[in-house]
Amino acid sequence: MTTPPRRPVLNHVLIVKDRHGPKAYWLTAELYSLGRDPRNSIRIDSQYASRYHAILVKTESPSSPDGFTYQIIDGDIQGTPSTNGLYVRGQRVEFRDLEDGDEIQFGNDATATYSLQNKDLDEILATFENTQIVGL
């Protein structure tokens, strides 16, 4: 009996850059809330970010090497949109399946980059010099 080929293990990482400097979040959960309020899963320190600015939802993606990606949705879990909108790659979006390298903008002083890392942890950490690592 043959064993099916293993899918590559990818690390889904969100690198947030706000007034407190860069922070890297390893994404593993099914759902994350993002925004200015400290009760969010991922806090965005920006006066331009809404208290509950966006949510990240893990979704199936047959085109992704590990079978899933994260979709970002503008607003809170009840569907109330953010005040200043959500921008991915410079375009305003209500929702979008994220791809490696997508830059997300939360107003004019906070961004996040979605990154797929196919490396071991030591290699990844070496690329994030002066970055606070969150969620390991």
Side-chain angles (χ1 to χ4, degrees):
M1 185 153 129
T2 61
T3 306
R6 291 184 61 194
R7 290 181 173 170
V9 175
L10 293 177
N11 294 290
H12 297 253
V13 181
L14 189 71
I15 302 127
V16 174
K17 297 175 193 142
D18 61 17
R19 294 189 290 192
H20 288 291
K23 295 178 287 291
Y25 295 87
W26 264 246
L27 303 175
T28 57
E30 299 294 318
L31 179 77
Y32 294 90
S33 60
L34 295 88
R36 193 177 70 237
D37 193 284
R39 292 175 286 191
N40 283 290
S41 314
I42 299 173
R43 185 160 187 267
I44 309 295
D45 186 20
S46 166
Q47 67 183 20
Y48 302 103
S50 293
R51 284 181 295 141
Y52 297 95
H53 200 100
I55 57 174
L56 280 176
V57 180
K58 191 179 205 179
T59 59
E60 288 185 29
S61 174
S63 62
S64 177
D66 60 355
F68 72 91
T69 190
Y70 280 88
Q71 182 178 86
I72 192 160
I73 303 168
D74 183 40
D76 64 18
I77 199 75
Q78 288 82 26
T80 305
S82 65
T83 302
N84 291 321
L86 181 67
Y87 294 81
V88 178
R89 294 193 183 242
Q91 302 237 330
R92 189 171 183 147
V93 297
E94 291 180 22
F95 63 90
R96 177 185 165 112
D97 287 343
L98 294 175
E99 299 173 3
D100 185 38
D102 276 353
E103 184 172 280
I104 305 154
Q105 185 125 19
F106 307 95
N108 63 5
D109 66 350
T111 62
T113 303
Y114 179 72
S115 179
L116 297 175
Q117 302 285 328
N118 192 5
K119 303 174 185 173
D120 69 36
L121 185 58
D122 289 335
E123 258 186 295
I124 293 167
L125 292 176
T127 65
F128 296 127
E129 186 178 331
N130 299 321
T131 299
Q132 179 184 355
I133 308 300
V134 182
L136 284 181

